DNA sequence: GTCTATACAAAGATAGAC
DNA sequence: GTCTATCTTTGTATAGAC
C-alpha cells in the first residue's frame, strides 16, 4: 500500500502556472494592483458573484465604467488575484524543498509556508476555497490552471510524505494521499477564522499544527481503544 | 493555559436550532422535500448565487414560477437545506455524548459522526462552507442560527477536549480551541473531495483520521527537530 | 484615467388562468 | 400544482466626451 517513490527533483517542472494577466487592457501599474487588492477583499467577504463591479468601483472611489479601462471583465480581476497567490506559493514551496535535509524537515517547512501565506494572501485563499467550484464550472478553459496548480502542489507534498515513510520517519500504515489532503485542508481552512492581529500569530499556528500532526493528541494513557 | 472545565451536561441546551420552514408557503410534503434536495445539489455544484430559480425548476421539470407555490423565495430553500443538516448533526452529537465512556471515546465518536454525515449531507455541507460568508452577509437576522449552531457544536467539542486533558488522556500542552478547529475543519473540508462510491468509505476515512489525530504521523525516529 | 449615459441580458418574483 | 406572461431590479459591459 505504501508506494516507495522518492526522487530528487523536488521542483517538478510539469504544468507551470504562468501567462499572467490574460485579460489585461492596460499596462501593469500600481493603480491596477491596488484595484485588484480592493476587489480581492470584497470577493473574500461576500463571494465572487455577490460582489458587483459597482461595489469594487465604489470601494476605489470611481465609477463602474472606469474599471473597464483597467480590466476587460470581472473574471479577469479574480483571475489575477488567484494567479498571484499560486505563483508565490509554488515558488516558496520550491525554494523550501531545495534546502530541506529530510522528509520531516521538508514537511515542517511546507506546513510553515502554508500558514505564513495566510496573512499576505488571506483574501485570495478565501476566494480560492469559496469560489473554486463556481470558477471551475464556468465555460471555457480559463481557470484550468487552478487544477494544474493543485496537481503540482499535490505532487510536491506526496513526494515528501512517501519519502518519510520510506526512510522510516513517518509511519507507513497511513495512506499518503489521505494524509496529504488532511494536512492541506487543515492549513487552508484556517483562513476562515484566522485574523492577523489575533491571539495566535502564524508562527504559533504552524508550530501547534506540526506538533499535533507529528506526535498526536493522545498521551500514553489509553483507557479506551480507538472506535 | 489549559482550562479545566468539565461538566456532565454534554447536551448543552442554550440556543437550539429550531423553527423549521420559516418561509414556507405550502404544507410540508414529499414533493417539497424533493425540490429542496434537487436545489441543494445545484447549490453545492455551482454555488447558491450562481444557481438560478430557473435552473432549479428545470431540474425538477417545472417552470420557475411554479417554484413559488412551494417556497416564497430562493433563500427559503437554502435555509431549509442548512437547517435540516444542522438539526440532524446536533441530534447525533448529543446522542453520542450521552453514551461516551470517556473523552477519548467521545472524541472518536464525534469524529466518526462527522465523517458519516458526509454521505447523507454532502450537498448541505458544501453549501455551508462555500456560501457561509455570503449568507451571513445578507441583511436581517435570518441566518443568525448558523452562528448559534456553530457555537453549540464548538461547546460540545471543547468540553470533551478539556475533559481529556484534565483526565490525562490528551496532552495538556496543546491549545484546546485551536485543536478543536483543526479537527473540525479537517473533517468538513473532506466534502471537497469525498465521493460516495470512491476508494475510501466513510468508516475508513474516520478511522484514518482518528489514528493520525491521536497518535501522530511520526515514528520514534527523530532525525530532525520540529522547525 | 475617469465620467456620463445607456445598451443588453439575466435574475427574482408576481398574477391569474387552467 | 403547474403554466403563461410579465414586471422590476440588478448587473455586466460599452461608447464617447472630458
Amino acid at each position: 500500500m505504501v508506494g516507495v517513490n522518492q526522487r530528487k527533483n523536488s521542483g517538478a517542472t510539469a504544468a507551470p502556472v504562468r501567462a499572467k494577466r490574460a485579460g489585461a487592457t492596460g499596462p501593469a501599474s500600481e493603480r491596477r494592483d491596488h484595484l485588484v487588492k480592493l476587489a480581492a477583499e470584497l470577493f473574500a467577504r461576500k463571494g465572487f458573484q455577490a460582489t458587483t463591479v459597482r461595489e469594487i468601483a465604489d470601494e476605489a472611489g470611481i465609477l463602474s465604467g472606469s474599471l473597464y479601462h483597467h480590466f476587460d471583465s470581472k473574471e479577469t480581476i479574480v483571475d489575477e488575484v488567484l494567479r498571484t497567490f499560486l505563483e508565490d506559493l509554488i515558488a516558496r514551496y520550491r525554494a523550501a524543498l531545495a534546502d530541506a535535509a529530510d522528509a520531516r524537515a521538508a514537511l515542517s517547512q511546507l506546513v510553515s509556508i502554508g500558514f505564513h501565506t495566510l496573512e499576505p494572501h488571506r483574501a485570495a485563499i478565501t476566494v480560492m476555497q469559496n469560489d473554486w467550484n463556481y470558477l471551475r464550472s464556468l465555460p471555457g478553459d480559463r481557470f484550468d490552471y487552478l487544477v494544474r496548480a493543485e496537481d503540482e502542489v499535490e505532487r510536491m507534498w506526496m513526494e515528501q510524505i512517501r519519502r518519510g515513510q520510506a526512510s522510516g520517519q513517518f509511519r507507513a500504515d497511513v495512506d499518503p494521499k489521505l494524509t496529504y489532503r488532511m494536512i492541506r485542508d487543515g492549513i487552508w481552512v484556517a483562513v476562515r477564522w484566522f485574523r492577523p492581529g489575533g491571539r495566535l500569530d502564524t508562527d504559533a499556528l504552524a508550530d501547534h499544527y506540526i506538533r499535533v500532526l507529528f506526535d498526536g493528541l493522545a498521551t500514553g494513557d489509553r483507557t479506551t481503544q480507538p472506535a
Side-chain angles (χ1 to χ4, degrees), chain A:
Chain A
M1 192 77 183
V2 179
V4 179
N5 175 18
Q6 75 259 51
R7 270 169 288 118
K8 43 202 55 190
N9 64 328
S10 308
T13 50
V17 178
R18 289 280 159 65
K20 212 172 174 180
R21 304 204 321 106
T25 51
S29 71
E30 283 187 26
R31 179 86 180 111
R32 182 188 168 93
D33 289 347
H34 179 62
L35 292 171
V36 171
K37 275 208 181 67
L38 291 180
E41 288 302 322
L42 290 170
F43 292 156
R45 184 158 4 124
K46 308 186 44 173
F48 172 69
Q49 316 237 355
T51 304
T52 69
V53 292
R54 282 189 241 272
E55 285 172 316
I56 300 171
D58 273 2
E59 195 75 14
I62 60 179
L63 291 183
S64 67
S66 308
L67 268 185
Y68 289 84
H69 174 71
H70 302 278
F71 311 97
D72 61 4
S73 74
K74 198 173 84 163
E75 279 182 21
T76 299
I77 307 180
V78 77
D79 191 309
E80 200 152 317
V81 170
L82 298 179
R83 272 213 157 80
T84 304
F85 161 61
L86 288 173
E87 282 172 15
D88 184 38
L89 178 71
I90 290 178
R92 283 174 197 240
Y93 275 169
R94 286 199 178 124
L97 290 178
D99 304 339
D102 59 18
R104 185 170 171 132
L107 223 62
S108 291
Q109 278 294 308
L110 292 181
V111 170
S112 182
I113 289 171
F115 281 108
H116 280 90
T117 54
L118 241 50
E119 201 152 345
H121 294 289
R122 201 187 52 78
I125 296 170
T126 304
V127 174
M128 184 120 163
Q129 298 204 51
N130 292 343
D131 297 306
W132 177 283
N133 283 354
Y134 171 68
L135 295 173
R136 289 285 307 142
S137 82
L138 292 174
D141 57 358
R142 170 155 212 177
F143 291 100
D144 283 2
Y145 71 90
L146 291 177
V147 176
R148 286 203 302 276
E150 186 183 41
D151 288 346
E152 187 169 354
V153 166
E154 175 171 328
R155 225 174 296 126
M156 293 193 233
W157 279 86
M158 292 282 284
E159 238 170 68
Q160 300 309 319
I161 292 173
R162 291 218 173 89
R163 179 150 78 117
Q165 288 184 319
S167 74
Q169 279 192 309
F170 301 150
R171 31 196 296 199
D173 68 330
V174 299
D175 183 74
K177 187 154 186 172
L178 209 49
T179 304
Y180 157 64
R181 284 171 167 165
M182 206 177 128
I183 302 174
R184 173 198 63 182
D185 294 345
I187 296 171
W188 296 135
V189 185
V191 83
R192 294 232 174 98
W193 46 265
F194 174 74
R195 288 298 165 270
R199 184 166 60 97
L200 287 320
D201 60 16
T202 43
D203 276 322
L205 265 183
D207 183 65
H208 180 277
Y209 196 81
I210 290 168
R211 212 154 7 117
V212 176
L213 173 67
F214 283 162
D215 301 327
L217 184 60
T219 60
D221 181 7
R222 304 278 178 89
T223 308
T224 354
Q225 293 306 312

